[in-house]
Amino acid sequence: AIYHGLKPKDEGSWKLAINAYRVQDKLVLSVYDNGMGIGERKLRTISNNLHDGIVDSTSGYGIYNVNNRIKLTHGKEYGLRIYSMEGRYTLSVIEIPLEDYEYTDNR
């Protein structure tokens, strides 16, 4: 968000929001920035590739690596989604399952 979205942006104030919340049995992590955004055509390509598990080196490896690791670990219904409007914002959302665990204090 900082490097690709906010750093190239010259004017106005930067906004960056990182959130984590629960939706039913999922943990949702989101990162929002008001930076450069992604053009409609490129966003459609990225979104299709994320959905299909395709690595597109022209868009970098990082987002595909994260997405594929999530899908391999938790299943195809989980992963990374990106929403964006060129010149306005980008919102990246990761969904992973919440797993029941027993908390232990190992002090």
Side-chain angles (χ1 to χ4, degrees):
I2 293 171
Y3 186 79
H4 293 291
L6 296 175
K7 186 177 177 186
K9 185 177 179 177
D10 291 331
E11 56 194 62
S13 60
W14 288 3
K15 291 181 184 170
L16 178 67
I18 301 170
N19 292 293
Y21 52 94
R22 179 183 188 157
V23 175
Q24 298 171 348
D25 61 345
K26 296 178 187 175
L27 172 63
V28 180
L29 306 167
S30 68
V31 178
Y32 167 89
D33 72 73
N34 70 336
M36 302 300 290
I38 302 169
E40 188 177 334
R41 175 183 269 167
K42 185 172 183 178
L43 179 62
R44 188 171 35 254
T45 299
I46 291 170
S47 294
N48 289 339
N49 289 342
L50 287 171
H51 179 268
D52 296 338
I54 297 170
V55 175
D56 177 7
S57 63
T58 63
S59 300
Y61 293 102
I63 60 173
Y64 299 109
N65 187 6
V66 168
N67 186 59
N68 287 335
R69 285 175 184 249
I70 292 168
K71 289 182 179 304
L72 285 171
T73 303
H74 300 291
K76 292 187 179 205
E77 65 271 22
Y78 300 100
L80 172 64
R81 292 186 322 274
I82 298 176
Y83 307 92
S84 188
M85 184 177 290
E86 190 169 19
R88 307 243 357 243
Y89 74 92
T90 299
L91 173 64
S92 301
V93 179
I94 291 176
E95 288 187 356
I96 57 176
L98 277 173
E99 297 178 6
D100 292 332
Y101 68 94
E102 186 174 320
Y103 175 77
T104 57
D105 188 353
N106 295 322
R107 285 191 258 171

